Amino acid sequence: MITYHGLGYYGLLAALAALALLRLLPTGSRAHRLLTRALLAALIVTAAIVGLSY
């Protein structure tokens, strides 16, 4: 069963992996822009889930 606590950890691990991948991608590439937006959206959703769980 996935809990709010688990979502926070999975989100954190995915964010760290995305940051590592962002370092490898060229700055102006389409993949870099897409991953940057996806990472920002994931962090916002994770913060909202954690904030609403309390």
Side-chain angles (χ1 to χ4, degrees), residues 3-4 9-12 16 18-19 25-26 30 34 36 39 45 48-50 54:
T3 62
Y4 291 119
Y9 278 118
Y10 292 137
L12 178 64
L16 290 175
L19 287 174
L25 291 170
R30 185 173 182 211
L34 180 66
T36 302
L39 177 60
V45 168
I49 289 172
V50 171
Y54 287 109

Side-chain angles (χ1 to χ4, degrees), residues 16-40:
L16 290 175
L19 287 174
L21 189 57
L22 279 173
R23 298 276 301 175
L24 298 174
L25 291 170
T27 303
S29 69
R30 185 173 182 211
H32 190 276
R33 288 192 308 267
L34 180 66
L35 187 58
T36 302
R37 290 180 185 143
L39 177 60
L40 181 61

